[in-house]
Every structure is written in C-alpha cells, then in structure tokens.
Amino acid sequence: MTDLAKNLHTEHMVINMGPSHPVTHGTVKFVVTLDGETIVDFYVEIGYLHRGFEKMCENSTWEQVFPYTDRLNYISPMINNVGYALAVEKLIGIDTPERCKYVRVIVSELSRLADHYTNIAASALELGAFTVFLYFVEARDLIWDLLESVCGARLTSNYVRIGGLKNDLPDGFKGQTKEVFKRCRELWIDVDKLLTKNRIFLDRLRDVGIMPPDEAIAWGFTGPCLRASGVPYDVRKAQPYLVYDQIDFEIPIGEKGDNFDRYLVRMEEINQSMRIVEQALDKLPDGPINVDMPEYRWQSKDDIYTKIESLIFHFKTVTGGIKPPPGEVYFPVEGANGEVGFYLVSDGSGKPYKCRVRPPSFALTAAMPRMVKGSLIADIVPTFDMIHMIGGECDR
Amino acid sequence: MSAGHEEGIEKVLGNSVLLTKLDEIIGWGRKYSFFLYPFVTACCGMEFMSLAGPRYDLDRFGSALPRFSPRQADLLMVVGTISHKQAPILVKVYNQMTEPKWVFSFGVCATSGGFYDNYATVQGIDTLIPVDVYVPGCPPRPEMVIDGLLRLQQKVAKERWSDWPRGEAPVTKK
Amino acid sequence: MSVTLKKLKDRFPDSIMETHSFRGDDTAVVKKEDILKICKFLRDDKELLYNFMMDLTAVDYYGREPRFEIVYHLYSLKYNMRVRIKVPVPESDCTTDSIISIWIGADWFEREVYDLYGIIFKGHPNLKRILLYEGFEGHPLRKDYPVRGRQPLIGPKN
C-alpha cells in the first residue's frame, strides 16, 4: 500500500477563491496552491474596490471630503469623519468646544460597537453559527437606530464638520441609549454563552493564524489584531485625543495572537465601548457645539439670514471652500480595525492638495500569506474574518 | 424582447387562455422563490446584511437563501460599486447564470456610478448587463429595497414564457 | 528640537536637507541615496527604536522640481514618538531604494505608490500594480492625469 502511495503521481492544485465569494467579503482574490488540503502557497490580490478616494478628494473642497471618508471604513463611518475633522483642525490650529468633543467620543464609540458586532456576526455566519449572526445584526440595527436619531442616516452619516458637528444630540438620547444598551448587553451575554466555550468554535479558531508580536509590528499591524498578539498599543491611550484621557476604560490585550484571541479582544472591547459611552453621557457638559470662527465653520441659519458678515462667510466657504494655512499634518485616530491616520497636505487653497488615509486593513491583509501558509484551506475562513478586511478602506 | 422565440405550441395556440394561465402559474412560482446571488462589493453590503437579519426580513418574500453559485441562482443582486477591475467578473458571473435570470441594481453606485465619477468606477452596470430594477440610495434604506423587490415580483409575474432565453450579456456579444 | 531630529542631524549632517516641526510633527527631508541607512539607524538606535512603519505614500508637487516626494511615517512604541521622513524624487530619475529589508510591511505600500504614481523601488521583489488592473496605462494620482479618464476593460468608454 505504501509503495502504491509513493508511486502515485500528485501535483499541487491551484484554486482561485475569486473576487465574488461569500467568504472573501466581496472584494479580494486568493490564489491558493494546495497539496491535498494544506496550503503551500498563497497569493492575495486586492484592488477590486478601488474607487479613487484620493483623486476625488483632491477635486473637492475640504468640507466636501466628508462623504468620501464615510465610505472608507463603511461599518464605522463616524470614526473616519472624526479623524478627518481632527486632522484638518490640527492643520488650522483650532480647538473645538468641550461638548463637541464629548459628542464626538460618543458617536465614535457607537460606531466602534457597530463594527465589532458586524465582524463577529459575519465571522460566526461563515463558520456556521447562524443564530449569532441574527442576534448581533439585531444589536447592530439598534445601534444604527441611535445613530439615525443623531444624524439622520444609518450607515453613511456625514455628521462631523470641521470645527464642530452638523447638529446637536436629540432630546431623550440618554434614555434611548440606556434602553438600547440594556438589550445589547443581553444579546452579548447570549452570544458569549453560545460561542466562547463552544467546542467547534474553539477548534476552528484556537491556534490558527498565529502572528507573534515582533512580526506583527514589522508588518504594520495595529488595532485589535495587534493587541491580540500581546502588544499594548492603542492610540486612545498612547496619544489621547478628544477627551479620552478623562474617561476611565481599559484596553484588552491577548496572549497568543491567534484568531480566538482576536475574537476575545473584540468581545471585550464591546463592553469597554459601552462603558465609555455611558461615562461620556454622564459627563456631557452644556455649551455650543461649533467653534466660533465663521471663516471655518459657518454660523447657525438664524445668523446667516440676518447678519451680513455671516452670510458672506457662508457664501465664501461653501463656494470656494475653507482655506487652511499651507503645511502638512498627520493625525492618528483609533479606528475599529486599527490606526486610521489622515495625512493632509494643504497649499492654502480651498481644496486639499493631498488627502491620504492610512488604511489599517491594508497592512493586515498583506500579512495573510504569512498567517495562513502551512495550515489547512479551511483555516483561511476564520483568519480572514478575524482580520476584518474592509474593502472600502483597503482599496480606497 | 421576445424576438423570434415562438415555440411550436405558441404558434398553434397563440394568446389563448391555456397559455396565459400557464404563464401566470409559472410567474407566480418564480416570483415567490428567488434565489439570490448577492454580488456584494461595498457599503451597500451592510444594508444587505440588515435585510437578511431579523428586523427587515427577506425571507418573508421567499428570497431568503443566497446561492453562491451562478448556476443555482436566478436573481443577481449587484450590491455596491463596480470598478473596472471587477467588471469582467460581473459579466462572467451574469453569463454563467442559467436563464431565467433577473438583475437587481442595489444602490446608486451600481445604478449609475454614484458620486465616484472617476477613472476607476463603472458608471452604471447597465452599460454591461441588462438590469431589471434600479434601487437608488447611498445606501438605500431596507424598506426601499423591499419595495424594489416587490416591483420586481410584479414584473416577473407578468412575463411570458416566450421571453426566455435572451442570450448572453450584450457587451460580450461581438 | 526633538530627540529624533537632533540625533539625525548629528549622525547624518549632509544627508538631512531640512527639518521642521509644523504643528508638532517632527519632519526631516533627506536625500534619497541615504534613505536605507537612515531608516536602519532609526529602527535600531537604542534611544529611538522606531519599530512601526505606519505609512508610506508619495505627493506629486506638479510644476516643482523635484516633482515627487515620498513620505514615510514612523512610530516608536517604546518612546511613543512619531517622525516623518520625506525623500524628494525628481521626475527624470523616478527611482528610490526599497525599505522592505527593514520593515517587511512596506511591501504593499511601495507597490501602491508604484501603481498610483509610477515611482520605481529598487530591490522590491514583486513590484506590480496592486490597486488597478494589470493593463492600466498611466499613473492616476499624478496631477496631470484627468480625474474622469476612462479606461474600461469591458463596456463602453462613456
């Protein structure tokens, strides 16, 4: 029998897990070379969702870039909005009022919740746990209801403005949030009971897709995947922006760097985000939400329609765009998937000369071959899910 | 649309009651049993996930099960932006689907390119494949998509069996 | 003057062309021939330890000579510092050294800069297009490429 096996002619098989595949979240192509079920070679091709974000930003005014930033990491759009606004405010050198900072923290954390819920829901769906998908999509719909009451749209919010926000929080937001969080915590407990000690889930995710910490740093990992490898780096703690230094929260750190640690880190971050939102709502001060500089942030409509200076500034900023001083700036923000950094170059005109976003999932997807070579083909699914590559951000 | 596909029975019986009743029954069966192929690329995919979720439920309309093989699906939902790199794949998937098949353009990027009027985006998938229902929105609310699905069901119910087969996508015909 | 910029100026006095700290961001403009030495120094020096290469991108200053500028953003986890290194690249000699041997994560970032700007990285093992399809002509993020240029693989050019 063994002689027969030795003389058996085998060759490696090349399989294409193409761009339209249920597991590849739509837009990535994997070319997998297999020996039986073991992966021998792995090649990733991205770029199927390249929509020309940078080129469009160079042809729009500074304020018109906000809808484009929404569609980068489209599951947590508020964080991109906030990051871009903070970068432009750093370039100009202005500081927003306290209330604006607290509201920005609240909506960022709500977006982070939506992102983590989506990730765990989609991963569980692809591993076969359909109930978890339904529970967390319900939780995500509730969070989106909250965001819809704030800004009017569930997904692509376009809520933050340079120097402030589009409008203030609605009345009754605090009570609504308490109700939603009560339900979300129940769903979290259910999913925890279903998945965390589940034999099948553990077998699929434990010791799969391991990335040791120094390699993770060399590849440029950031966010939950880096923290799962044991590196305690979170932009909210390392270089606090907005009011994160006044809010008490922890960042969960993993041990092994495998997929199960990434899952646990995300589950714990959900709890921490809810804590942050509750603290921010308690501490929310009264006051204006827009900075009082009409050449960057236009006044309320009462002023525009009655005072001539406000009208002139409104006209100039809408038609010509605001005019930050020339220079360049880089501002990192902790996105749901990693460090989202905006690098802006201004030449003093109304349009950005360059608007670059540092995509966290780009670096994570680049390391896929390293994490997956040598394991079985079924391990591609949980690894890729836990990396949480989002096409809009990776390809921009 | 049904150019020259007159089958033998049609020629003999014409527009008689027998055939229209048959068309109605077939249309009724087809409209309540769509097998979706969600060709998901971008942000609209999140609204699609919500549609499949417990609050806005696509299962009520008979189109619950996504089939991820073109041979087994009959409703191609193009969800999200199609870039020029992705376009040949979309046309290939459309050609591989067996007839009867319908195309549902979900979101404004699939309908007309959205606000991405640039070097990398296809300005509407109807330049590549024939589309039956357009649902604009960025992203469209789930209620809009359900409305679109109901209109598609009305359209499918009125079809005649001589409408099919239609052949491959016009852009690939030389 | 921050620690990083001072050490860089002391160690490589003729490679550093200019430094500034606009809005608190330390920036150094260096000559493109010395980028490998400088990056190795930044990564390995005991008081700097820049182990993260956060971002690698390029800017097209159309009408200025040198035309392109490659921008590296580095972060040191231990000392919590950031620095930006800029490398001017003229259009006539659109090449520079690849830093993939220092941080392996630079792989895809350099491919993206090649794809969108046309700058060639010497020493990169696999410099192919990454975001656009293989037969695409031109480099779209250059300022002289029209935003509405159409190059469809299939379908009309509308």
Side-chain angles (χ1 to χ4, degrees):
Chain A
M1 189 61 205
T2 40
D3 286 338
L4 189 66
K6 269 190 232 155
N7 294 332
L8 212 57
H9 172 66
T10 57
E11 57 182 45
H12 294 159
M13 180 160 72
V14 176
I15 286 189
N16 179 34
M17 285 175 76
S20 174
H21 191 280
V23 136
T24 65
H25 293 181
T27 52
V28 180
K29 182 160 94 166
F30 300 137
V31 180
V32 188
T33 311
L34 293 172
D35 175 21
E37 281 218 12
T38 319
I39 298 174
V40 166
D41 197 15
F42 193 81
Y43 175 67
V44 184
E45 187 169 336
I46 61 167
Y48 290 96
L49 193 60
H50 180 64
R51 296 185 279 196
F53 166 75
E54 288 186 39
K55 194 82 180 175
M56 300 306 289
C57 288
E58 287 171 19
N59 286 291
S60 326
T61 66
W62 291 93
E63 290 268 348
Q64 285 175 340
V65 169
F66 278 108
Y68 293 108
T69 59
D70 268 338
R71 285 143 179 92
L72 284 173
N73 180 343
Y74 37 76
I75 318 181
S76 57
M78 294 284 197
I79 302 181
N80 306 334
N81 281 351
V82 164
Y84 176 73
L86 285 169
V88 180
E89 285 161 14
K90 181 175 172 182
L91 182 63
I92 301 174
I94 58 180
D95 198 23
T96 49
E98 280 295 303
R99 187 175 171 92
C100 170
K101 288 186 187 164
Y102 274 93
V103 176
R104 281 180 177 179
V105 165
I106 292 171
V107 293
S108 295
E109 293 304 316
L110 286 176
S111 284
R112 193 188 312 275
L113 280 174
D115 194 296
H116 288 329
Y117 283 143
T118 310
N119 183 15
I120 298 177
S123 317
L125 178 67
E126 282 152 20
L127 295 174
F130 192 61
T131 315
V132 171
F133 171 77
L134 292 174
Y135 284 171
F136 269 171
V137 166
E138 181 189 341
R140 187 186 72 172
D141 267 333
L142 289 168
I143 302 281
W144 278 356
D145 280 345
L146 278 180
L147 285 177
E148 190 180 4
S149 68
V150 171
C151 69
R154 285 152 54 106
L155 192 58
T156 47
S157 48
N158 192 12
Y159 175 60
V160 185
R161 298 280 178 269
I162 297 169
L165 302 165
K166 174 168 158 271
N167 53 265
D168 205 343
L169 291 177
D171 299 327
F173 187 74
K174 195 166 171 182
Q176 197 184 358
T177 315
K178 276 199 172 22
E179 290 292 315
V180 166
F181 278 1
K182 198 157 72 102
R183 179 73 187 129
C184 284
R185 287 201 163 101
E186 286 169 17
L187 288 168
W188 189 94
I189 293 174
D190 280 340
V191 169
D192 194 37
K193 280 194 211 154
L194 277 173
L195 284 185
T196 311
K197 296 212 172 79
N198 188 328
R199 184 77 255 157
I200 301 178
F201 199 69
L202 275 171
D203 276 344
R204 288 297 302 260
L205 264 67
R206 253 284 169 241
D207 295 329
V208 168
I210 297 183
M211 181 61 101
D214 358 300
E215 281 198 54
I217 295 178
W219 278 101
F221 272 34
T222 47
C225 291
L226 180 67
R227 295 196 278 278
S229 293
V231 178
Y233 172 56
D234 185 328
V235 184
R236 297 174 290 176
K237 289 282 193 197
Q239 294 175 334
Y241 52 96
L242 295 174
V243 287
Y244 281 109
D245 42 358
Q246 297 165 26
I247 295 184
D248 177 37
F249 67 102
E250 287 158 17
I251 49 173
I253 312 279
E255 287 171 348
K256 279 200 210 167
D258 59 1
N259 286 332
F260 195 67
D261 277 347
R262 293 174 191 142
Y263 157 78
L264 288 174
V265 162
R266 288 201 164 99
M267 288 290 269
E268 188 52 37
E269 277 190 12
I270 291 177
N271 286 339
Q272 296 297 323
S273 285
M274 286 204 261
R275 258 179 83 188
I276 295 176
V277 174
E278 285 166 351
Q279 286 178 48
L281 278 173
D282 287 333
K283 288 187 184 170
L284 191 64
D286 293 321
I289 53 163
N290 288 324
V291 74
D292 190 18
M293 295 174 77
E295 64 265 24
Y296 292 119
R297 174 83 188 109
W298 66 71
Q299 322 275 49
S300 68
K301 288 291 185 188
D302 301 334
D303 285 332
I304 291 177
Y305 289 131
T306 48
K307 298 199 191 117
I308 190 68
E309 301 90 14
S310 305
L311 182 67
I312 294 175
F313 278 122
H314 177 245
F315 179 73
K316 285 179 96 72
T317 53
V318 169
T319 51
I322 65 171
K323 303 222 174 7
E328 56 193 5
V329 77
Y330 178 79
F331 195 91
V333 164
E334 180 69 19
N337 215 13
E339 172 179 319
V340 178
F342 278 91
Y343 173 58
L344 302 172
V345 177
S346 157
D347 58 350
S349 74
K351 298 186 178 177
Y353 196 77
K354 171 147 179 115
C355 172
R356 153 93 181 168
V357 64
R358 186 249 174 209
S361 10
F362 201 62
L364 296 170
T365 316
M368 270 289 288
R370 159 71 187 81
M371 287 194 274
V372 143
K373 266 192 203 164
S375 46
L376 305 174
I377 190 173
D379 294 332
I380 299 178
V381 175
T383 313
F384 191 63
D385 283 332
M386 282 304 160
I387 285 182
H388 200 39
M389 183 210 93
I390 298 172
E393 177 181 69
C394 191
D395 299 340
R396 276 151 291 129
Chain B
M1 204 196 278
S2 60
H5 282 291
E6 295 259 307
E7 310 270 324
I9 306 180
E10 274 241 335
K11 240 192 231 167
V12 168
L13 292 173
N15 260 345
S16 68
V17 173
L18 187 61
L19 271 187
T20 48
K21 273 296 169 204
L22 192 61
D23 281 340
E24 268 186 44
I25 295 174
I26 292 178
W28 175 88
R30 281 180 184 163
K31 81 177 183 185
Y32 282 132
S33 65
F34 285 127
F35 283 97
L36 307 172
Y37 185 108
F39 195 91
V40 169
T41 35
C43 354
C44 283
M46 297 302 112
E47 287 290 3
F48 181 77
M49 273 171 79
S50 259
L51 268 174
R55 191 193 279 194
Y56 309 100
D57 193 4
L58 269 189
D59 201 357
R60 305 179 268 173
F61 307 102
S63 38
L65 298 174
R67 298 277 116 198
F68 286 101
S69 159
R71 298 291 194 200
Q72 296 171 1
D74 61 7
L75 176 61
L76 177 67
M77 274 191 140
V78 184
V79 183
T81 322
I82 301 291
S83 64
H84 285 306
K85 198 169 180 183
Q86 182 85 330
I89 294 150
L90 174 65
V91 176
K92 199 169 192 176
V93 165
Y94 177 78
N95 284 339
Q96 281 178 347
M97 281 168 71
T98 53
E99 307 221 349
K101 57 192 175 190
W102 299 276
V103 177
F104 188 107
S105 162
F106 189 133
V108 79
C109 285
T111 310
S112 68
F115 64 175
Y116 291 107
D117 188 6
N118 58 20
Y119 57 89
T121 309
V122 172
Q123 302 294 302
I125 57 170
D126 52 2
T127 53
L128 304 168
I129 55 181
V131 176
D132 290 295
V133 179
Y134 298 90
V135 178
C138 196
R141 275 205 65 117
E143 290 93 347
M144 278 175 76
V145 179
I146 293 176
D147 184 37
L149 194 68
L150 292 174
R151 282 173 199 257
L152 180 65
Q153 286 181 340
Q154 287 170 3
K155 180 177 183 183
V156 168
K158 289 202 205 99
E159 278 183 353
R160 314 198 58 206
W161 86 351
S162 55
D163 289 341
W164 299 101
R166 287 188 197 150
E168 53 182 30
V171 76
T172 44
K173 285 193 197 137
K174 290 286 174 268
Chain C
M1 176 76 73
S2 73
V3 170
T4 318
L5 293 178
K6 209 187 307 191
K7 288 198 86 157
L8 273 178
K9 275 198 157 152
D10 292 336
R11 181 73 185 261
F12 302 98
D14 20 305
S15 304
I16 311 281
M17 299 200 284
E18 183 208 329
T19 63
H20 67 82
S21 276
F22 181 70
R23 302 277 187 251
D25 286 348
D26 298 329
T27 311
V29 184
V30 310
K31 292 207 183 96
K32 72 171 188 170
E33 292 80 21
D34 304 321
I35 184 68
L36 269 176
K37 290 189 300 195
I38 291 181
C39 285
K40 209 159 180 358
F41 168 69
L42 284 170
R43 187 190 66 171
D44 295 332
D45 183 82
K46 287 287 171 286
E47 287 170 26
L48 297 179
L49 287 181
Y50 278 99
N51 44 5
F52 272 99
M53 199 219 60
M54 278 303 181
D55 195 16
L56 203 172
T57 182
V59 189
D60 177 7
Y61 290 102
Y62 190 53
R64 184 191 89 166
E65 197 44 48
R67 180 174 175 187
F68 298 106
E69 206 166 66
I70 303 187
V71 182
Y72 302 85
H73 283 98
L74 307 174
Y75 174 70
S76 162
L77 183 67
K78 185 166 179 192
Y79 299 108
N80 199 10
M81 310 189 284
R82 289 185 190 265
V83 74
R84 180 184 308 139
I85 308 284
K86 302 209 292 184
V87 175
V89 172
E91 190 177 356
S92 47
D93 177 25
C94 225
T95 61
T96 183
D97 291 318
S98 163
I99 59 168
I100 195 172
S101 50
I102 306 179
W103 294 285
I104 192 168
D107 182 2
W108 276 22
F109 287 101
E110 289 178 348
R111 277 178 69 183
E112 184 195 338
V113 171
Y114 164 66
D115 189 2
L116 297 171
Y117 285 96
I119 299 175
I120 302 195
F121 288 87
K122 292 187 288 216
H124 193 283
N126 184 23
L127 200 65
K128 289 197 314 193
R129 283 193 183 270
I130 187 169
L131 292 181
L132 298 166
Y133 61 87
E134 281 295 319
F136 197 92
E137 281 164 17
H139 299 281
L141 272 183
R142 293 190 175 191
K143 293 283 178 182
D144 46 359
Y145 191 93
V147 72
R148 292 216 177 107
R150 306 276 191 231
Q151 282 191 45
L153 270 179
I154 188 171
K157 243 185 167 70
N158 67 322

